């Protein structure tokens, strides 16, 4: 098949590398931005505690806004965490694999494990989210009226994760074709100790 | 089709061993099995319709909100060098005594564990800060490395710990399931707070046993743990000592106290702790926009990692149930000789072995939801079971050749420390852990008395 063997020419590889960087930059930008929700969550929690124990005021809308912050914090960061290669692995064997072996694991894993997870979460949640939008579903406890937005995270997660999964396919596929994708610009390398 | 869920469990273990990220491996393998099951008519697609509801339940779960808050607190304390100060002031206080540095390590480790609850962070921090000094001052490499690894794992068991938050949430659901199955209607509940309180006494006894061991060594083998020579210039200055010790102590006291008093939920206490860490960092002049950015990003990545595993594990457990996995596990346990005792021993052994390849989070989300309802249905106390699981996993993380703590320390230990030193060094501490497990098995009141007294 001539078309197939012509595909990985230098030009195409360059373009694919470029695309890989673009996709990664996209999920990373979202993750780095949404990370600041963690600070808001801390401050909001302190506010709740002060109001409740200091002034005996319990505000449902305020409490629910913390749920929105918390949910968005991790749902928007999952793809970014993949871009930084920080989803925990069982590395008993993995750490002994050569770079090509690791690339194979990641390529096949992305195709047969990660992408099906994205597709399943998206399709299974579609009706659930859509009906919440139709009803303009609000809080069951008289809090914030934006539950349909919160539920939309169930679609945003697989969408973002798919974007990063494609970037990972390109990265590991190109590695196997002999190209050298740029190393991950990860903050993690300076402090490998995070994780439980 | 009794064997299908078990096959699924074995398959996921094999997939995990390839090293592909755990969260996606769990969810992906489950979906592949579900697809195969739908094609062969052994799995009903309607079981998957619960997926969005389950996932939204994770988003809405306010107990789990404690996770990003505690992570924030731990990362903030680490980045703002509070831990460093703590260790150096403890070293000044105890260093000049024989075995003193060993005691300092244990006490600091326990405090760090209480404040961060992150095994890797504690082991790495102490390995970098104290191991070179200990070796220079003539501490036996085995003893030094064993001490650091063992104290690092205390973060699992000493509250407030992220591990106990996750375990508490899972056990709460399992306990409800178990009671509903027995046809009980007025349900007892177990909460993360109960588990924190229950783990307190066993955790302190464990620290006490570690301390006793070091004292014994300094009496029997003084050459293994010599007194530090302190240059006169840096002799103890009480002010710097208090400055290093007091703030983190107050922070931990505030967090634990508010939970123990039964007033604040662990989530609220975590929020206060995170804010306190922020203030401490500011007081230490270690807070600026760059550091704050690193802290929030590290927090978001660790949180994302934890919750993605939870999402993957939810997919796994839905499919596992769809294949009738619960009955399979139940039948397996009922067939065990020795009733409750036999089943408990088997589960503990299984968790210990899985602890070699899986982290606390995976075991909590995948294994505990499968086995806990059955064990609790046999009448075990949920608090006791939770503390036993936590202790057991802590031991597993310490056990060569696969213990996580050993890897973390190996990564930062100077090259003259051989891997064999680390392996030999942890053996006495593993023995202590096993003794502690034995004590808790014989006297469950150690875990259950305090929560029952406090909360009734």
């Amino acid at each position: 098949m001539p078309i197939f063997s012509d595909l990985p020419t230098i030009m195409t590889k360059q373009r694919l590398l470029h695309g890989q960087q673009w996709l990664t930059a996209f999920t990373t930008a979202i993750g780095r931005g949404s990370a600041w929700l963690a600070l808001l969550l801390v401050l909001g929690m302190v506010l709740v505690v002060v109001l409740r124990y200091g002034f005996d005021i319990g505000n449902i809308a305020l409490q629910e806004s913390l749920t929105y912050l918390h949910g968005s914090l991790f749902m928007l960061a999952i793809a970014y965490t993949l871009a930084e290669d920080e989803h925990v692995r069982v590395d008993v064997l993995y750490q002994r694999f050569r770079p090509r072996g690791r690339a194979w694991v990641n390529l096949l894993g992305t195709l047969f494990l990660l992408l099906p997870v994205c597709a399943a979460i998206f399709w299974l949640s579609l009706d659930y989210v859509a009906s919440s939008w139709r009803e303009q579903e609000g809080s069951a406890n008289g809090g914030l009226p934006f539950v349909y937005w919160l539920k939309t995270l169930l679609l945003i997660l697989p969408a973002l994760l798919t974007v990063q999964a494609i970037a990972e396919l390109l990265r590991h596929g190109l590695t196997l074709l002999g190209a050298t994708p740029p190393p991950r610009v990860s903050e993690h390398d300076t402090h490998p100790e995070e994780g439980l | 089709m009794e064997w299908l869920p078990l096959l699924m469990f074995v398959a996921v273990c094999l997939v995990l061993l390839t090293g592909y990220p755990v969260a996606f491996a769990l969810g992906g393998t489950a979906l592949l099995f579900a697809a195969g099951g739908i094609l062969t008519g052994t799995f009903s697609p309607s079981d998957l319709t619960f997926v969005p509801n389950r996932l939204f339940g994770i988003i809405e779960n306010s107990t789990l909100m404690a996770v990003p808050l505690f992570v924030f607190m731990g990362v903030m304390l680490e980045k703002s060098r509070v831990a460093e100060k703590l260790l150096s002031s403890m070293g000044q206080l105890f260093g000049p005594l024989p075995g003193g540095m060993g005691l300092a390590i244990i006490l600091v480790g326990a405090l760090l564990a209480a404040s961060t609850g992150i095994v890797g962070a504690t082991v790495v921090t102490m390995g970098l800060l104290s191991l070179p000094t200990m070796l220079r001052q003539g501490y036996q490499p085995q003893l030094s490395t064993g001490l650091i690894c063992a104290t690092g794992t205390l973060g699992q068991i000493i509250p407030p710990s992220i591990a106990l938050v996750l375990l508490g949430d899972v056990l709460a659901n399992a306990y409800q399931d178990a009671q509903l199955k027995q046809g009980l209607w007025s349900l007892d509940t177990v909460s993360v707070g109960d588990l924190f309180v229950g783990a307190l006494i066993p955790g302190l006894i464990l620290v006490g046993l570690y301390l006793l061991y070091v004292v014994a060594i300094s009496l029997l083998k003084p050459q293994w743990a010599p007194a530090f020579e302190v240059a006169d210039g840096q002799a103890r200055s009480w002010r710097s000592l208090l400055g290093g010790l007091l703030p983190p102590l107050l922070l931990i006291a505030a967090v634990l106290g508010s939970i123990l008093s039964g007033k604040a939920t662990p989530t609220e206490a975590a929020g206060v702790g995170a804010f306190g860490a922020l203030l401490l960092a500011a007081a230490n002049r270690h807070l600026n926009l760059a550091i704050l950015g690193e802290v929030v990003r590290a927090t978001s990545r660790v949180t994302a990692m934890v919750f993605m595993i939870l999402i993957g594990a939810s997919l796994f457990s839905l499919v596992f149930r769809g294949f009738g996995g619960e009955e399979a596990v139940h039948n397996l346990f009922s067939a065990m000789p020795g009733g409750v005792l036999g089943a408990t021993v088997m589960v503990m052994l299984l968790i210990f072995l899985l602890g070699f390849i899986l982290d606390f989070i995976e075991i909590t989300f995948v294994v505990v939801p499968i086995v806990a309802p059955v064990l609790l249905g046999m009448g075990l106390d949920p608090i006791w079971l939770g503390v036993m699981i936590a202790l057991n996993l802590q031991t597993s993380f310490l056990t060569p050749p696969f213990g996580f703590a050993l890897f973390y320390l190996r990564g930062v230990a100077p090259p003259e420390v051989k891997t064999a030193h680390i392996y030999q060094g942890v053996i006495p501490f593993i023995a202590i852990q096993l003794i502690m497990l034995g004590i808790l098995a014989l006297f469950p009141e150690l875990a259950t008395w305090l929560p029952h007294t406090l909360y009734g």
Side-chain angles (χ1 to χ4, degrees):
Chain A
M1 286 202 293
I3 297 175
F4 209 72
S5 57
D6 282 342
L7 186 68
T9 58
I10 308 249
M11 270 299 285
T12 338
K13 273 188 199 166
Q14 279 299 336
R15 277 199 196 152
L16 291 175
L17 270 177
H18 215 77
Q20 192 271 340
Q21 281 164 302
W22 237 96
L23 297 171
T24 305
F26 175 70
T27 55
T28 303
I30 289 178
R32 286 175 70 102
S34 63
W36 290 94
L37 297 176
L39 185 63
L40 288 182
L41 180 65
V42 171
L43 298 177
M45 198 59 182
V46 171
L47 187 63
V48 166
V49 170
V50 168
L51 285 179
R52 205 175 118 190
Y53 296 100
F55 302 92
D56 212 10
I57 301 172
N59 187 321
I60 295 177
L62 180 62
Q63 292 213 341
E64 285 189 355
S65 69
L66 296 185
T67 303
Y68 285 58
L69 287 174
H70 167 66
S72 315
L73 172 67
F74 68 84
M75 293 294 268
L76 297 177
I78 286 172
Y80 157 59
T81 307
L82 177 63
E84 302 254 329
D85 195 14
E86 276 191 56
H87 282 291
V88 75
R89 301 169 184 270
V90 175
D91 59 359
V92 182
L93 299 176
Y94 185 78
Q95 61 181 350
R96 286 172 209 174
F97 292 165
R98 292 160 189 280
R100 279 186 74 83
R102 294 184 183 189
W104 272 115
V105 167
N106 289 317
L107 186 75
L108 296 176
T110 308
L111 270 179
F112 294 110
L113 300 167
L114 175 54
L115 283 173
V117 167
C118 295
I121 294 179
F122 193 90
W123 291 119
L124 291 168
S125 304
L126 201 53
D127 272 349
Y128 182 77
V129 177
S131 77
S132 177
W133 271 85
R134 271 195 300 274
E135 295 166 26
Q136 297 281 297
E137 187 182 359
S139 162
N141 312 309
L144 298 175
F146 307 113
V147 172
Y148 54 98
W149 269 110
L150 196 57
K151 285 190 173 170
T152 309
L153 286 172
L154 292 176
L155 301 180
I156 297 176
L157 168 76
L160 282 175
L161 210 41
T162 304
V163 170
Q164 190 55 39
I166 294 169
E168 297 296 313
L169 282 182
L170 290 173
R171 161 181 285 275
H172 301 296
L174 287 167
T175 306
L176 289 172
L177 289 174
T180 36
R184 295 181 196 271
V185 229
S186 166
E187 286 184 308
H188 186 63
D189 297 336
T190 50
H191 34 84
E193 62 276 21
E194 283 132 22
L196 286 174
Chain B
M1 288 299 148
E2 180 105 309
W3 48 271
L4 255 175
L6 298 178
L7 180 70
M8 189 177 141
F9 195 80
V10 173
V12 90
C13 285
L14 292 178
V15 174
L16 285 176
L17 277 176
T18 65
Y20 195 68
V22 171
F24 310 131
L26 282 171
T29 312
L31 290 171
L32 293 181
F33 265 82
I38 291 170
L39 288 178
T40 55
T42 47
F43 183 88
S44 147
S46 64
D47 283 323
L48 287 177
T49 53
F50 297 108
V51 165
N53 220 332
R54 283 285 290 274
L55 299 189
F56 191 62
I58 296 173
I59 295 178
E60 274 196 315
N61 185 324
S62 65
T63 306
L64 293 177
M65 208 188 284
V67 172
L69 295 168
F70 276 133
V71 173
F72 184 98
M73 172 173 158
V75 178
M76 194 80 225
L77 286 178
E78 184 212 332
K79 291 239 194 292
S80 59
R81 313 249 172 122
V82 171
E84 238 177 284
K85 272 190 158 178
L86 194 62
L87 196 61
S88 79
S89 39
M90 278 287 200
Q92 280 173 28
L93 185 61
F94 287 105
L97 301 169
M101 195 57 198
L103 301 181
I105 294 267
I106 295 173
L107 292 175
V108 174
L111 281 178
L112 277 185
S115 57
T116 70
I118 301 175
V119 173
T122 316
V123 171
V124 168
T125 311
M126 297 210 299
L128 283 174
L129 296 179
S130 53
L131 189 55
T133 332
M134 291 171 89
L135 296 174
R136 211 168 38 242
Q137 299 267 8
Y139 262 68
Q140 193 207 29
Q142 287 90 325
L143 179 63
S144 323
T145 51
L147 263 172
I148 292 174
C149 286
T151 34
T153 60
L154 284 173
Q156 304 286 339
I157 185 79
I158 296 189
S161 106
I162 300 166
L164 290 178
V165 172
L166 304 177
L167 195 54
D169 189 61
V170 170
L171 279 174
N173 294 331
Y175 195 39
Q176 279 207 341
D177 276 6
Q179 294 178 86
L180 285 174
K181 287 234 172 76
Q182 288 172 321
L184 299 175
W185 286 107
S186 67
L187 298 183
D188 278 338
T189 55
V190 59
S191 71
V192 173
D194 293 336
L195 209 54
F196 275 12
V197 178
L200 196 60
I201 293 179
L204 291 179
I205 296 179
L206 195 59
V207 174
L209 290 176
Y210 283 9
L211 289 173
L212 265 180
Y213 173 72
V214 171
V215 171
I217 286 290
S218 65
L219 294 176
L220 300 174
K221 298 270 182 193
Q223 69 277 20
W224 285 4
F228 272 32
E229 291 168 19
V230 183
D232 284 337
Q234 56 169 140
R236 351 173 165 173
S237 115
W238 285 101
R239 253 196 94 215
S240 81
L241 188 62
L242 275 184
L245 272 181
L246 212 53
L249 273 181
L250 283 178
L251 182 62
I252 292 160
V255 171
L256 263 187
S258 56
I259 299 172
L260 283 180
S261 70
K263 278 198 182 135
T265 64
T267 311
E268 290 167 341
V272 173
F275 188 64
L278 197 70
L279 294 183
L280 264 186
N284 280 348
R285 310 243 157 82
H286 275 298
L287 190 65
N288 54 40
L289 205 60
I291 290 186
L292 197 56
E294 280 179 37
V295 172
V296 293
R297 286 192 292 275
T299 304
S300 86
R301 293 195 302 266
V302 174
T303 309
M305 183 269 285
V306 172
F307 280 88
M308 189 60 222
I309 295 180
L310 185 46
I311 292 172
S314 301
L315 291 175
F316 183 85
S317 77
L318 273 175
V319 177
F320 187 79
R321 278 175 200 201
F323 275 118
E326 280 190 324
E327 292 87 53
V329 172
H330 192 99
N331 296 342
L332 195 68
F333 280 2
S334 316
M336 283 293 295
V340 192
L341 185 69
T344 314
V345 170
M346 197 187 89
V347 167
M348 287 295 157
L349 205 63
L350 177 76
I351 289 180
F352 181 79
L353 293 177
L354 285 173
F356 288 153
I357 55 162
L358 296 181
D359 210 340
F360 200 105
I361 322 166
E362 293 101 277
I363 292 184
T364 306
F365 291 149
V366 181
V367 183
V368 177
I370 297 174
V371 297
V374 185
L375 287 181
L376 295 175
M378 292 170 149
L380 290 183
D381 185 283
I383 300 174
W384 177 81
L385 183 64
V387 179
M388 283 294 278
I389 291 175
L391 260 177
N392 186 356
L393 276 175
Q394 192 207 341
T395 316
S396 170
F397 294 159
L398 202 56
T399 304
F402 296 128
F404 280 95
L406 313 176
F407 288 128
Y408 286 124
L409 186 62
R410 177 69 274 172
V412 295
E416 70 262 27
V417 174
K418 299 280 167 274
T419 304
H421 288 151
I422 303 182
Y423 286 2
Q424 289 159 14
V426 292
I427 290 173
F429 292 94
I430 297 172
I432 295 177
Q433 293 288 131
L434 293 177
I435 292 172
M436 186 64 223
L437 271 168
I439 294 178
L440 189 59
L442 289 176
F443 305 102
E445 299 83 11
L446 290 173
T448 54
W449 172 77
L450 192 58
H452 289 197
T453 313
L454 281 179
Y455 303 143

